[in-house]
Amino acid sequence: MIPYESALVRKLSTFNLLGPGELAILAKLESRPHRVAAGTELVQEHQAGHHAYIVQQGWACAYKLLEDGKRQVVDFPIAGDILGLRSVLLRTSDHSFAALTNLVVAKVSGHQLIDSLMRLPKLSAAILWAASRDEAMVVEHLVSVGRRGALQRLAHFLLELGERLQLAGLGSEDSFACPLSQYHLADAIGLTAIHVNRLLRELRDQKLVTFRAGVVRFHDREGLRRLAVWHGGYLDAKLLPC
Amino acid sequence: MIPYESALVRKLSTFNLLGPGELAILAKLESRPHRVAAGTELVQEHQAGHHAYIVQQGWACAYKLLEDGKRQVVDFPIAGDILGLRSVLLRTSDHSFAALTNLVVAKVSGHQLIDSLMRLPKLSAAILWAASRDEAMVVEHLVSVGRRGALQRLAHFLLELGERLQLAGLGSEDSFACPLSQYHLADAIGLTAIHVNRLLRELRDQKLVTFRAGVVRFHDREGLRRLAVWHGGYLDAKLLPC
DNA sequence: CGAATCGTTGAGGTCGCTCAATCATAGTGG
DNA sequence: CCACTATGATTGAGCGACCTCAACGATTCG
């Protein structure tokens, strides 16, 4: 069996905060991978959050359901992301998590996690950095949904996704594999799947991106950036040197 | 001079994580209050984030401006909130902060803050908890803007604000002082000020809330909760006991 | 082959926006 | 004290972006 190259470690290594102690703990936390079938719910809203999950492979979906059946997707966690960190810190989960594809995750108990953080302040800082990055993404989504037009919003979303995947080593300069349906996209950017369909067609007609058969392909990333008025930088921000 | 009763300490004291060491550091961080005049910009977007600010008195506004002049408000920080924590952790600020009213803040350098966190893991945990609570609020806003109708959205926003202020000791069961204009409300919930005006009238006509002369008054908080389909709990969530 | 899921397209409706006034209040300088 | 200005609240009329409802086609899977 090939030893797992931790995507989380890779992500957190962006800055040299991880010493041997931190690496050892992370390795221990990630040592027992679980397989989760696509479609499984990992955490339900309002459930007591006794566990977090480190994603090692596959795509997940963090979302909130409303009483009338509407859904808002908050994030699509991928390899290297931590699911349910907030559920552990606050006592109950404020939203649900499902496996979007087949998933490999490491299950971490809340106590174990908090324990590790208390013991290793540098790990704490690294995790706080990761959480801040996540929050920056949520803020960006809020701006999108609140103040950007539909087409711009979709363009922005696809760019962000591409950027994230590329940083995680899961996408190239001009394309990436994407298991999302148009319903997923719609629930992420606050639109109807039907409308998303028309917008994707528009982007295709403008020869900017295509999304077909599970592959997003950028044909004119620069033009797409112009359309989305893209200001990257919130994804690969470094930690303040200390 | 009356010694300042720290709102931040009050907030973080919800759980018994703060020992004498943590309290001493916090007192030191907050020992030099600055006055900031209403309207002043504290941090500009894309500015290098070398400082954070602990709000001791007054209201601030965290927002993001778009190229076409649109604005999305992310949060209205009040006493006990930390401004620009993310700007310090990531290296640059992903949005701007302005003083909405006259403000009293403690200015904390990034290094000083990170230093304190490294030295006191329990403080780290407490701050991480506070950051998680903030993120939960942003997520709730995202859900609102993405998937709730305008009236429900406004109702939800007013309820949340009331709850927050009450927890901070700045509001009563049935009213609170609120320096926000209808433009602020609009930019917070992703609507037009004009439309917000009509919605406020609607809420007034339904005898649920009034917002007049800087005071929000709940006339039927229960009814308002029903309208907003309010599920509180993300504001006063406790930390997982450890 | 039937069932389920997802994508695609059309027609019509509506929620919230845009544009354009009017009014109230407070502050400012002459 | 009175223009004069600036900010915020309020209301009306018309419009358009996005939604709803309703099909139908394509693909996958048991």
Side-chain angles (χ1 to χ4, degrees):
Chain A
M1 172 181 158
I2 300 166
Y4 169 65
E5 250 295 310
S6 168
L8 177 59
V9 167
R10 176 185 167 152
K11 186 166 86 173
L12 296 182
S13 293
T14 317
F15 37 94
N16 47 359
L17 217 46
L18 302 182
E22 285 77 20
L23 288 172
I25 284 280
L26 281 172
K28 192 179 159 207
L29 291 179
E30 293 202 73
S31 61
R32 288 193 302 154
H34 289 250
R35 278 164 202 290
V36 178
T40 310
E41 278 219 333
L42 282 161
V43 182
Q44 282 197 338
E45 202 177 333
H46 302 306
Q47 180 181 323
H50 291 317
H51 295 276
Y53 300 85
I54 301 172
V55 180
Q56 297 181 343
Q57 244 180 69
W59 290 56
C61 178
Y63 60 96
K64 225 169 129 70
L65 286 174
L66 301 194
E67 42 305 323
D68 58 357
K70 282 174 183 148
R71 182 173 67 161
Q72 176 66 44
V73 169
V74 176
D75 188 21
F76 295 111
I78 57 171
D81 291 336
I82 302 179
L83 282 189
L85 179 59
R86 274 213 311 292
S87 326
V88 163
L89 291 169
L90 314 178
R91 274 193 313 208
T92 89
S93 177
D94 58 338
H95 49 274
S96 311
F97 296 95
L100 220 145
T101 64
N102 288 328
L103 218 57
V104 180
V105 298
K107 191 171 181 178
V108 181
S109 89
H111 292 292
Q112 195 181 0
L113 184 60
I114 292 185
D115 228 57
S116 310
L117 295 181
M118 288 296 190
R119 209 183 311 267
L120 299 166
K122 288 192 175 180
L123 183 60
S124 245
I127 297 286
L128 188 54
W129 170 84
S132 296
R133 177 182 181 269
D134 286 352
E135 193 178 345
M137 276 183 39
V138 179
V139 166
E140 202 59 48
H141 289 166
L142 177 61
V143 173
S144 256
V145 175
R147 286 299 185 220
R148 288 199 250 254
L151 194 63
Q152 194 185 0
R153 210 185 300 176
L154 178 56
H156 198 278
F157 178 83
L158 291 175
L159 282 169
E160 180 185 277
L161 203 52
E163 202 92 356
R164 267 180 82 196
L165 287 162
Q166 212 176 335
L167 283 170
L170 296 172
S172 75
E173 180 55 31
D174 48 63
S175 75
F176 60 89
C178 175
L180 304 179
S181 74
Q182 296 183 347
Y183 293 86
H184 289 123
L185 291 180
D187 285 339
I189 62 183
L191 295 171
T192 304
I194 297 175
H195 199 55
V196 165
N197 183 290
R198 299 196 235 261
L199 296 172
L200 282 174
R201 172 215 251 282
E202 172 74 18
L203 290 177
R204 200 187 314 136
D205 288 353
Q206 289 194 29
K207 305 207 186 310
L208 296 170
V209 239
T210 53
F211 180 14
R212 223 193 267 288
V215 177
V216 173
R217 204 173 296 281
F218 296 113
H219 293 107
D220 177 5
R221 207 166 182 172
E222 208 34 65
L224 195 61
R225 287 207 173 104
R226 232 175 299 122
L227 172 63
V229 194
W230 172 261
H231 294 89
Y234 60 97
L235 289 177
D236 61 348
K238 305 290 185 292
L239 187 72
L240 184 71
C242 41
Chain B
M1 171 181 158
I2 300 167
Y4 168 65
E5 252 292 310
S6 167
L8 178 59
V9 167
R10 176 186 167 150
K11 186 166 87 172
L12 296 182
S13 292
T14 318
F15 37 92
N16 47 0
L17 218 45
L18 302 182
E22 284 78 21
L23 288 173
I25 284 281
L26 281 173
K28 193 180 160 209
L29 291 180
E30 292 202 74
S31 60
R32 290 194 300 158
H34 290 250
R35 280 166 200 289
V36 178
T40 311
E41 279 219 332
L42 283 161
V43 181
Q44 282 197 340
E45 201 177 332
H46 303 305
Q47 181 181 325
H50 292 316
H51 295 276
Y53 300 85
I54 301 172
V55 179
Q56 296 180 346
Q57 246 181 68
W59 290 55
C61 178
Y63 60 95
K64 225 171 129 71
L65 287 174
L66 301 194
E67 41 306 321
D68 57 359
K70 283 177 182 147
R71 181 172 69 159
Q72 176 66 44
V73 169
V74 175
D75 189 20
F76 295 113
I78 56 171
D81 290 337
I82 302 178
L83 283 189
L85 180 59
R86 271 213 312 292
S87 326
V88 163
L89 290 169
L90 314 178
R91 275 193 311 208
T92 91
S93 177
D94 56 342
H95 49 275
S96 310
F97 296 94
L100 218 144
T101 65
N102 288 328
L103 219 54
V104 181
V105 297
K107 190 171 181 178
V108 181
S109 87
H111 293 292
Q112 197 181 0
L113 185 61
I114 292 185
D115 229 56
S116 309
L117 294 180
M118 289 295 193
R119 210 183 310 266
L120 298 166
K122 286 191 177 182
L123 183 61
S124 241
I127 297 287
L128 188 54
W129 170 84
S132 297
R133 178 182 179 268
D134 286 352
E135 192 179 345
M137 278 184 36
V138 179
V139 166
E140 202 60 46
H141 288 167
L142 177 60
V143 173
S144 257
V145 175
R147 287 299 187 220
R148 289 198 249 254
L151 193 64
Q152 193 185 0
R153 213 186 298 178
L154 177 57
H156 198 277
F157 178 82
L158 292 175
L159 282 170
E160 180 185 277
L161 203 52
E163 200 91 358
R164 267 180 81 196
L165 287 162
Q166 212 175 334
L167 284 170
L170 296 173
S172 75
E173 179 56 29
D174 49 63
S175 76
F176 60 89
C178 176
L180 304 179
S181 74
Q182 296 183 349
Y183 292 87
H184 288 123
L185 291 181
D187 285 339
I189 61 182
L191 295 173
T192 303
I194 298 176
H195 199 55
V196 165
N197 183 290
R198 299 196 235 264
L199 296 172
L200 282 173
R201 172 212 251 283
E202 172 74 19
L203 290 177
R204 199 187 315 136
D205 288 353
Q206 290 194 27
K207 303 205 186 312
L208 295 170
V209 241
T210 55
F211 180 14
R212 223 192 269 287
V215 177
V216 173
R217 206 172 294 281
F218 296 113
H219 294 108
D220 178 6
R221 206 165 181 173
E222 207 35 64
L224 195 61
R225 289 208 173 104
R226 233 174 298 120
L227 172 63
V229 194
W230 172 261
H231 293 87
Y234 59 98
L235 290 177
D236 61 346
K238 305 291 186 292
L239 189 71
L240 183 71
C242 39

